[in-house]
Amino acid sequence: MEAAAGGVEAEGVMRVLVVDDSPVDRRVAQLLLSSDSCAGSFHVIAVDSARKAMEFLGLKDGGEAVDMVLTDYCMPEMTGYDLLKAIKALNPLEPIPVVVMSSEDEPQRISRCLSAGAEDFIVKPLQSKDVQRLRNCSAAARPSKGAAPCEAAVVAKRNQKPPHPAGAASPSGRRASLAGVAMVLHSSGVEYLPLLLKLVVLAYAALCLGELLHRWASSDGRCSLSPWCA
């Protein structure tokens, strides 16, 4: 188990349990939350698996629970999503706030985690702009019911796509198909337009020549092609 340096824990410091199988991402979280910009407001405990996180939380019987769990989504054996559900089941009345991290910004994944009780969903790597989001979702600053949702909830709702009838193409699919057809027609027209014009001119000239020959033959050699004949 890893802990961020910082001396004796001061009053009001937020205890964050970081769970990530990547040592690089764990270190990034530790350095960011222990930086001068955070003014010592975080105390980070880092573990490399969800099972170690469960063991750590199991030792906290009642009053010494962490203020937040910051967990990666994709981890071997026990995923961050499984850890989220297990943490929320530990104390359903006063669950520990959980923020899920992932390198993939998938709306379905975000909605899944938020539906399971996650306070927020952050795309890795963790950045300084995410620190305030962590503060807002902590146990001490957690909004009451009816307050504004976390940013991830707004993003997930905005990215949700309405269902379409079976067999019907989505508007985006239809737009893509029409755009593809238009592109083909445009490119074909630009490429073959000069050739088509030449073919039209040659066809017209052939028709005119055929008409002249027909009139010449029908006149038994006599010139009947006015106005060229006297």
Side-chain angles (χ1 to χ4, degrees), residues 68 97 99 119-120 132-139 141-142 150:
M68 178 187 299
V99 175
E119 272 63 36
D120 206 344
Q132 187 57 46
R133 294 172 62 177
L134 296 178
R135 290 195 179 103
N136 295 340
C137 295
S138 67
R142 193 165 32 175
C150 289

Side-chain angles (χ1 to χ4, degrees), residues 3-38:
V8 180
E9 184 177 337
E11 184 179 356
V13 174
M14 186 188 305
R15 291 171 56 84
V16 180
L17 177 61
V18 176
V19 189
D20 201 319
D21 61 320
S22 169
V24 174
D25 290 331
R26 286 200 309 273
R27 189 57 179 163
V28 168
Q30 285 182 312
L31 291 176
L32 178 62
L33 298 180
S34 303
S35 62
D36 294 337
S37 60
C38 293

Side-chain angles (χ1 to χ4, degrees), residues 28-111:
V28 168
Q30 285 182 312
L31 291 176
L32 178 62
L33 298 180
S34 303
S35 62
D36 294 337
S37 60
C38 293
S41 56
F42 294 95
H43 176 75
V44 180
I45 305 99
V47 295
D48 59 3
S49 70
R51 297 194 181 279
K52 289 184 179 180
M54 289 298 297
E55 293 174 1
F56 178 81
L57 294 173
L59 297 176
K60 304 300 179 181
D61 187 10
E64 203 179 349
V66 297
D67 298 303
M68 178 187 299
V69 174
L70 180 61
T71 178
D72 185 26
Y73 183 92
C74 294
M75 292 185 292
E77 297 182 5
M78 186 177 184
T79 66
Y81 177 73
D82 295 330
L83 176 61
L84 164 66
K85 294 191 297 182
I87 291 175
K88 295 302 179 180
L90 285 175
N91 190 352
L93 297 179
E94 295 182 3
I96 301 172
V98 179
V99 175
V100 181
M101 301 182 296
S102 177
S103 57
E104 298 180 8
D105 186 9
E106 296 183 358
Q108 292 182 350
R109 180 175 295 182
I110 297 174
S111 299

Side-chain angles (χ1 to χ4, degrees), residues 55-229:
E55 293 174 1
F56 178 81
L57 294 173
L59 297 176
K60 304 300 179 181
D61 187 10
E64 203 179 349
V66 297
D67 298 303
M68 178 187 299
V69 174
L70 180 61
T71 178
D72 185 26
Y73 183 92
C74 294
M75 292 185 292
E77 297 182 5
M78 186 177 184
T79 66
Y81 177 73
D82 295 330
L83 176 61
L84 164 66
K85 294 191 297 182
I87 291 175
K88 295 302 179 180
L90 285 175
N91 190 352
L93 297 179
E94 295 182 3
I96 301 172
V98 179
V99 175
V100 181
M101 301 182 296
S102 177
S103 57
E104 298 180 8
D105 186 9
E106 296 183 358
Q108 292 182 350
R109 180 175 295 182
I110 297 174
S111 299
R112 185 187 186 197
C113 292
L114 295 178
S115 299
E119 272 63 36
D120 206 344
F121 190 102
I122 296 177
V123 179
K124 293 196 300 183
L126 200 66
Q127 303 179 43
S128 57
K129 65 180 181 180
D130 300 319
V131 173
Q132 187 57 46
R133 294 172 62 177
L134 296 178
R135 290 195 179 103
N136 295 340
C137 295
S138 67
R142 193 165 32 175
S144 60
K145 293 182 179 179
C150 289
E151 180 178 340
V154 177
V155 174
K157 185 175 181 180
R158 184 172 62 244
N159 289 337
Q160 284 181 346
K161 298 179 180 179
H164 299 284
S170 64
S172 58
R174 289 196 297 268
R175 286 195 296 269
S177 299
L178 292 175
V181 172
M183 185 177 298
V184 171
L185 291 177
H186 180 266
S187 60
S188 299
V190 172
E191 182 178 356
Y192 295 109
L193 184 59
L195 179 60
L196 290 175
L197 290 176
K198 291 180 181 180
L199 290 176
V200 169
V201 172
L202 290 175
Y204 181 75
L207 288 175
C208 293
L209 180 59
E211 181 66 20
L212 289 174
L213 293 176
H214 175 72
R215 291 186 180 184
W216 180 266
S218 61
S219 63
D220 295 330
R222 293 188 301 274
C223 183
S224 61
L225 300 178
S226 180
W228 291 281
C229 295

